[in-house]
Amino acid sequence: MTEIHSATDVSAHIAAAEAKAREAAKEAAINPQGGRFAHGNETYLALVWRRFRRSVIGMIGLVMVLGLLTMALFADFFAPVSPKENGVGFAPPETLSFRAPDGSFSLVPRIYPIVETGEFDPVTFQPLTGPDLNNPLDLGFFVKGYDYKLLWLIPANRHFFGATNGSSVHLLGTDKFGRDILSRAIVGSRISLTIALIVVFITTSVGTGIGITSGYLGGKFDGWVQRFVDLVLAFPQLPLYLALTSLIPITAPSNVFLAFVIGVMAALGWAQLSREVRGKTLALARIEYVRAAMAVGAGDGRIIMRHILPNVLSHVIVSVTLAIPAIVLLESFLGFLGFAVKPPLISWGLMLQDTGAFSVIGSYPWILSPVAFVLVTVFAFNALGDGLRDAIDPY
């Protein structure tokens, strides 16, 4: 009897162990990493985001890009001075000071405005400027300033920072007309980034559509499309930019000139992405699940939209983040030559026109300040693109 009970107990223990093993196997199948490392069922975007968060340079780029877009969207709020307000020409930057007029330390930051001293340079006979030590300006946040419309709709006059009494503050100095460089650079980011985003949107849409269609259909259609792409890529772009933008008369409205520049950039920028997407489509069209979709009678549009496009989006997203800084650099270069944006619009390239003379740069180096905004933008988008590339395609 004891042996029978022992055998029964052993069988029960074995059955219980097998049941636990089956439950553990089911749990492992549902959640392979289990315990504190468990993440459950995750989508592709969640996996990409988890990998992207591990990239320090990518996260830095993301924060900087969000900051740049916020600055451009609320440019008037962040600009301390009206970008059209005139003052002392080529005034040097006003430095922050935590010293009171009597020399004691003060927690309130202040600046000493640059004014004309009434004296003249003995060589150039230009009026000399210097800090006004008798009239310091206290700085603060969310101060009142010039009137503007927040998001082009809401009237407002509050600014992120500035002088508490509403006077002008020139932390990066002024240009030849006495306009504040910092405020113009902040407001100019709106035009420069808008041009880059619109051009990249058009080139991405056209290049991706033509590339996928050409690679999927193949045959003579693919051959003719690729010869046209070769023709577009063979053009020397810089002379063509200058020639096409010269067709617009100087008296044309600024918006018309800006739209024409965007159209020229988009017309010449889609071909490279189209070639890259075509190459990926040629490889994807031979994969088993695409051939299976063809076999069951799926239409070309469904196959492209449901099976091929999602698999090339990773490359397209990375290309977008890397193309935006290229357009920003191109706009800055063309603006420096006078072929991008016309006044009264403001862009970083247009502001760099003042740096055309070496003597001006040597005497007033602060007019190169817009270059810093261009460098920060290029670094931010390149860092974001680098992090996305490693997260989307880690192998």
Side-chain angles (χ1 to χ4, degrees):
M1 183 68 69
T2 304
E3 294 179 358
I4 294 175
H5 284 295
S6 299
T8 304
D9 293 340
V10 171
S11 300
H13 285 299
I14 293 174
E18 290 177 349
K20 290 182 179 180
R22 286 193 297 268
E23 292 295 331
K26 291 180 180 179
E27 180 67 22
I30 296 175
N31 193 356
Q33 296 185 351
R36 63 191 182 90
F37 299 104
H39 295 282
N41 293 330
E42 293 191 350
T43 63
Y44 173 71
L45 292 178
L47 295 174
V48 169
W49 171 244
R50 190 197 308 169
R51 285 193 293 263
F52 180 77
R53 286 185 300 177
R54 299 194 189 109
S55 174
V56 177
I57 190 70
M59 291 301 295
I60 293 175
L62 176 62
V63 172
M64 294 177 66
V65 167
L66 293 177
L68 287 169
L69 295 179
T70 302
M71 180 186 70
L73 186 61
F74 302 99
D76 293 313
F77 170 70
F78 288 103
V81 183
S82 173
K84 300 179 181 180
E85 179 181 325
N86 296 329
V88 178
F90 288 128
E94 299 167 344
T95 57
L96 288 173
S97 176
F98 289 90
R99 295 281 182 181
D102 58 0
S104 61
F105 177 78
S106 174
L107 293 176
V108 178
R110 54 174 48 87
I111 61 170
Y112 295 95
I114 303 298
V115 296
E116 294 184 356
T117 61
E119 301 178 356
F120 295 89
D121 187 283
V123 177
T124 62
F125 297 102
Q126 294 291 328
L128 298 177
T129 59
D132 186 3
L133 301 178
N134 297 322
N135 298 294
L137 298 177
D138 293 334
L139 301 182
F141 292 102
F142 304 104
V143 298
K144 290 185 177 181
Y146 71 95
D147 296 329
Y148 64 93
K149 288 188 177 181
L150 188 64
L151 297 177
W152 299 276
L153 296 174
I154 306 173
N157 61 0
R158 290 286 177 177
H159 297 267
F160 180 66
F161 73 97
T164 55
N165 63 353
S167 300
S168 300
V169 177
H170 308 296
L171 296 181
L172 293 181
T174 62
D175 61 7
K176 60 183 178 181
F177 296 113
R179 298 170 300 190
D180 182 54
I181 293 179
L182 176 60
S183 299
R184 289 177 61 81
I186 293 175
V187 175
S189 66
R190 181 178 290 168
I191 296 296
S192 297
L193 293 178
T194 298
I195 292 175
L197 293 176
I198 293 177
V199 170
V200 169
F201 174 78
I202 296 174
T203 56
T204 301
S205 302
V206 175
T208 303
I210 293 178
I212 289 181
T213 306
S214 175
Y216 176 76
L217 297 179
K220 291 185 178 180
F221 177 78
D222 180 44
W224 283 107
V225 170
Q226 294 312 306
R227 299 296 74 78
F228 179 70
V229 171
D230 292 336
L231 181 64
V232 175
L233 292 175
F235 272 112
Q237 293 192 2
L238 180 58
L240 191 60
Y241 280 129
L242 302 182
L244 292 177
T245 52
S246 299
L247 297 177
I248 296 295
I250 300 177
T251 57
S254 299
N255 295 333
V256 174
F257 194 90
L258 182 60
F260 185 79
V261 170
I262 291 175
V264 171
M265 290 184 179
L268 298 178
W270 63 269
Q272 183 62 40
L273 179 60
S274 173
R275 180 65 57 84
E276 296 171 1
V277 172
R278 171 185 174 269
K280 287 188 170 292
T281 303
L282 290 174
L284 292 170
R286 295 176 174 84
I287 295 179
E288 288 77 5
Y289 61 80
V290 175
R291 291 185 176 275
M294 295 179 182
V296 299
D300 294 338
R302 179 179 177 83
I303 294 175
I304 290 175
M305 297 301 297
R306 296 294 298 272
H307 299 290
I308 297 180
L309 180 60
N311 288 280
V312 302
L313 276 181
S314 60
H315 179 81
V316 171
I317 292 173
V318 174
S319 299
V320 166
T321 57
L322 297 178
I324 290 176
I327 299 299
V328 171
L329 287 174
L330 178 60
E331 186 277 329
S332 300
F333 177 68
L334 294 178
F336 173 75
L337 297 178
F339 292 98
V341 175
K342 300 292 185 182
L345 298 179
I346 306 170
S347 73
W348 293 333
L350 181 64
M351 294 179 63
L352 291 175
Q353 286 185 2
D354 294 338
T355 64
F358 179 76
S359 58
V360 174
I361 298 176
S363 302
Y364 317 109
W366 55 86
I367 64 173
L368 287 171
S369 300
V371 174
F373 287 84
V374 176
L375 293 177
V376 169
T377 303
V378 172
F379 171 79
F381 280 99
N382 281 334
L384 177 61
D386 187 67
L388 284 176
R389 180 187 59 206
D390 295 339
I392 291 174
D393 190 11
Y395 309 109

